[in-house]
Amino acid sequence: MDDLLAARALMGVSLAFHIVYATIGIGLPLLLMLAEGLALKTGDEEWHEVARRWIRPAAVLFAIGAVSGTILSFELGLLWPKFMVFAGPMIGLAFSMEGFAFFTEAIFLALYSYGEQRLSRRAQFLCTVPMVVASAISAVFVISANGWMNTPSGFRMVNGVASDIRPLVAFANQAWPHQAVHGTFAAYVATGFAMAGFYAADLLRGRKTTQVKKALTLSLAVGTLALPLMLVSGDWAAEALAEHQKAKLAAAEAHFKTMAAAPLVIGGWPDPETGTVRYAIKIPKLLSYLANGDANSVVQGLDAFPQGSTPDPRIVHPFFDLMVGSSFVMAVASGWFWWLRWREKEVTLKRGALILVLIAAPFGMIALESGWMVTEFGRQPWIIQGYLRTSEAVTPNGGLLLIFATFLLVYLALSVGILRLLLRPQGRGEEEEEVLHG
């Protein structure tokens, strides 16, 4: 592993773990707000108790997300110094504003967590509202920086140097709106299905309390309602790729040759040497229609770009298919659950439906991670699309393989510790309370 690959691997591992923590840090405040709102509206204390049981995972993941995000900020400067010199004036605003949103969320999370005895129920509910807003805004600001890497704007190149810098224009780059909307809904989907999976497992283990049923219903409702919004925003993102990031779209769709009436390629293995996709399912004219709204329109393939300047479809296309396929797994599981919920007039206890929800639980996070892979690998070999290659931005210092191995072990150990903490059995008093409520 050379230093470039080690740097990319270290950054990729750090991002992959951080995305999990940050995603739940975005989605869980929404669940808290909804549960507290239901408690306030209905007077049902169990909704409040459901919300209070989510404080520990919310606090733990918020803290870990803060630490892993800090590590990433150091890695940007240490691993990619030329990138920071070039991009810092443009993306610095987004990271600064993300810090303000982060601290806002931290303040109200602390007030909500420790205000049980001092704040009224209405005040506790109101504390969750800025948590939801701040967590979503935090994601929007960070995604702006990534969107700028895909569609850089807000500057002019003069003699090889970025000048006439306009941070607000850079912030509102072309990729930012669809990435921000799609990423936020994806976080709600991932959190909703992940939480639903935990409670489906509880029901399968025989813990058929009303709190578990309510928590499952609320979690899956959030995931289910956000799922079609995620798909619609994903279609918006695909249309934006067709206009502004044509090479990424070609790699994601394994579209090698520029042609009219281009087919949509599902599955298969791309072969760059022959320009074909083996074992794929092709739907005639559908890619042209989805990209341009015209089934006979021309869609640029990878052959339309200079050799060595396009992403590798062998990486981007499988991740793209995994992202899309994950959405259908979740749709089937949630559809069956809600059908039974409507027919039986209560939360279903049928083993098959609960097992399907449990199977679908990780696919929200799988879809989100896969989408991020499409975004990042789909930009290669550029770290700033069209201006700075990844190989040119990496640090000249060596020894990155040892650092990568060390951080990988640290992240794995950290994740194991977090899972043990979050899945730790409840105390005797809590179990007795659940039995009484059940």
Side-chain angles (χ1 to χ4, degrees), residues 239-253:
E239 292 177 357
L241 289 185
E243 183 176 357
H244 303 298
Q245 301 178 65
K246 299 180 185 297
K248 180 182 290 187
L249 177 67
E253 298 290 355

Side-chain angles (χ1 to χ4, degrees), residues 356-389:
L356 191 55
V357 171
L358 184 60
I359 292 173
F363 277 93
M365 202 64 68
I366 290 172
L368 195 145
E369 293 274 14
S370 300
W372 198 258
M373 294 296 183
V374 171
T375 298
E376 295 303 293
F377 283 111
R379 191 179 56 249
Q380 298 304 318
W382 305 96
I383 193 169
I384 303 175
Q385 183 69 45
Y387 290 93
L388 182 65
R389 288 178 178 262

Side-chain angles (χ1 to χ4, degrees), residues 27-355:
L28 201 50
L30 178 62
L31 293 176
L32 285 169
M33 184 187 74
L34 293 174
E36 290 290 2
L38 287 169
L40 195 63
K41 181 178 181 180
T42 64
D44 188 343
E45 283 295 300
E46 285 199 333
W47 283 116
H48 175 68
E49 293 168 9
V50 166
R52 298 303 293 183
R53 289 179 181 275
W54 289 335
I55 291 178
R56 184 173 71 180
V60 169
L61 291 167
F62 181 84
I64 298 300
V67 173
S68 60
T70 302
I71 291 173
L72 280 168
S73 66
F74 280 109
E75 288 180 354
L76 281 173
L78 294 174
L79 300 177
W80 314 102
K82 293 182 180 179
F83 165 76
M84 291 305 294
V85 169
F86 190 117
M90 272 75 79
I91 65 175
L93 174 64
F95 282 118
S96 298
M97 297 306 296
E98 190 273 339
F100 283 107
F102 169 81
F103 283 116
T104 300
E105 183 182 1
I107 290 169
F108 285 97
L109 176 60
L111 288 172
Y112 175 75
S113 300
Y114 299 105
E116 174 75 6
Q117 304 301 324
R118 296 180 178 272
L119 298 177
S120 67
R121 289 295 172 80
R122 184 176 298 276
Q124 286 180 294
F125 166 72
L126 291 176
C127 283
T128 64
V129 175
M131 287 167 54
V132 174
V133 175
S135 62
I137 289 177
S138 178
V140 166
F141 284 137
V142 169
I143 291 174
S144 168
N146 181 264
W148 181 86
M149 296 164 67
N150 293 318
T151 55
S153 60
F155 65 96
R156 292 188 303 111
M157 294 299 293
V158 179
N159 298 324
V161 178
S163 61
D164 189 20
I165 295 170
R166 293 167 290 170
L168 290 177
V169 175
F171 178 86
N173 58 81
Q174 292 171 329
W176 167 61
H178 65 79
Q179 282 192 209
V181 173
H182 187 58
T184 303
F185 282 131
Y188 294 147
V189 170
T191 303
F193 275 89
M195 296 292 286
F198 282 115
Y199 291 109
D202 276 349
L203 290 177
L204 288 169
R205 287 196 296 261
R207 294 184 61 217
K208 302 174 183 179
T209 68
T210 55
Q211 283 189 27
V212 170
K213 293 178 182 179
K214 287 180 176 180
L216 170 59
T217 301
L218 180 58
S219 301
L220 195 57
V222 168
T224 302
L225 291 174
L227 183 60
L229 298 175
M230 182 187 73
L231 293 174
V232 170
S233 61
D235 182 65
W236 177 24
E239 292 177 357
L241 289 185
E243 183 176 357
H244 303 298
Q245 301 178 65
K246 299 180 185 297
K248 180 182 290 187
L249 177 67
E253 298 290 355
H255 183 55
F256 286 99
K257 298 177 181 178
T258 301
M259 66 175 69
L264 182 71
V265 177
I266 300 176
W269 181 251
D271 185 355
E273 293 185 2
T274 62
T276 59
V277 186
R278 301 174 183 174
Y279 318 115
I281 299 172
K282 295 185 179 182
I283 303 178
K285 300 186 177 183
L286 187 55
L287 179 58
S288 289
Y289 178 77
L290 293 175
N292 303 312
D294 181 356
N296 294 309
S297 65
V298 176
V299 178
Q300 287 185 317
L302 293 172
D303 62 346
F305 305 92
Q307 188 173 6
S309 67
T310 59
D312 188 342
R314 293 171 297 182
I315 300 176
V316 183
H317 179 64
F319 276 120
F320 182 77
D321 280 347
L322 180 59
M323 176 187 67
V324 176
S326 297
S327 301
F328 286 100
V329 173
M330 292 184 287
V332 170
S334 62
W336 190 9
F337 175 88
W338 291 115
W339 163 251
L340 293 175
R341 176 72 174 80
W342 174 79
R343 193 176 69 177
E344 298 174 7
K345 309 303 180 184
E346 62 178 1
V347 174
T348 183
L349 297 178
K350 290 188 176 179
R351 189 172 182 83
L354 295 176
I355 289 176

